[in-house]
């Protein structure tokens, strides 16, 4: 569990805050969205499609560091690239989705992630793609309501 906490939460949050220190509004606006989406997807997934180590009585507990760390921070950094660095939104969404899928695939190959009920790496990619598309849509909604994130 210590590995999940360090690699899934502590290191991503430190790096994310350091990168976003001059654009903290992005963190404030997108971090809670990322936590909410990650928690929803993982709660469904642990009940029907996957499991991660270490085994705990409540499998969502093992993913809590990732729900609070790497997933929302990845979304914040993606939005930083789109909003501040003017990256192509769809390319940024694709790259971040592929990167997280690659990380999960490596964890699966090392035996830290177990899929069942027909879940596979393609579904994993889609489970990352959808939240990042939602985050980008959220940014468009914020723009309509003139919330300045720069």
């Amino acid at each position: 569990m210590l590995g999940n906490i360090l690699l899934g939460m502590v290191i991503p949050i430190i790096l994310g805050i350091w990168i976003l220190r001059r654009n903290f509004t992005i963190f404030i606006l997108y971090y809670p969205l990322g936590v909410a989406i990650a928690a929803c997807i993982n709660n469904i997934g642990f009940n029907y499609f996957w499991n991660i180590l270490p085994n705990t009585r409540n499998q969502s507990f093992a993913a809590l560091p990732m729900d609070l760390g790497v997933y929302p921070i990845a979304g914040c950094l993606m939005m930083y690239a789109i909003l501040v660095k003017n990256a192509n939104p769809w390319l940024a969404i694709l790259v971040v989705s592929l990167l997280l899928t690659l990380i999960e695939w490596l964890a699966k190959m090392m035996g830290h992630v177990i899929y069942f009920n027909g879940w596979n790496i393609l579904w994993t990619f889609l489970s990352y793609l959808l939240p990042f598309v939602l985050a980008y849509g959220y940014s468009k909604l914020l723009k309509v309501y003139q919330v300045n994130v720069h």
Side-chain angles (χ1 to χ4, degrees):
M1 189 65 180
L2 182 61
N4 289 9
I5 293 169
L6 288 175
L7 295 174
M9 185 174 69
V10 174
I11 293 171
I13 287 176
I14 290 170
L15 287 173
I17 289 175
W18 181 74
I19 292 168
L20 296 169
R21 69 188 180 281
R22 290 191 182 102
N23 299 90
F24 206 66
T25 304
I26 291 173
F27 181 81
I28 297 299
L29 290 172
Y30 293 97
Y31 181 83
L33 177 69
V35 170
I37 293 173
C40 289
I41 288 174
N42 273 331
N43 279 317
I44 293 167
F46 282 117
N47 283 302
Y48 299 106
F49 302 113
W50 63 79
N51 197 351
I52 67 170
L53 295 179
N55 285 318
T56 58
R57 291 178 74 136
N58 178 349
Q59 276 301 303
S60 294
F61 183 68
L64 187 60
M66 280 71 80
D67 289 348
L68 297 173
V70 71
Y71 302 138
I73 293 297
C76 289
L77 294 176
M78 180 197 73
M79 293 311 303
Y80 172 77
I82 293 169
L83 297 171
V84 177
K85 298 298 182 180
N86 296 314
N88 178 299
W90 299 107
L91 182 60
I93 291 167
L94 183 64
V95 167
V96 174
S97 299
L98 285 170
L99 182 63
L100 287 178
T101 301
L102 175 64
I103 291 168
E104 185 165 321
W105 180 77
L106 291 171
K108 183 175 177 1
M109 292 297 108
M110 294 187 312
H112 294 286
V113 177
I114 301 157
Y115 294 158
F116 49 90
N117 286 339
W119 196 262
N120 58 46
I121 202 69
L122 177 60
W123 287 116
T124 296
F125 171 74
L126 294 173
S127 77
Y128 289 126
L129 184 70
L130 176 64
F132 295 130
V133 170
L134 290 174
Y136 180 60
Y138 182 66
S139 75
K140 293 299 188 187
L141 186 63
L142 290 174
K143 190 173 185 174
V144 167
Y145 288 100
Q146 299 176 348
V147 176
N148 188 8
V149 295
H150 295 106

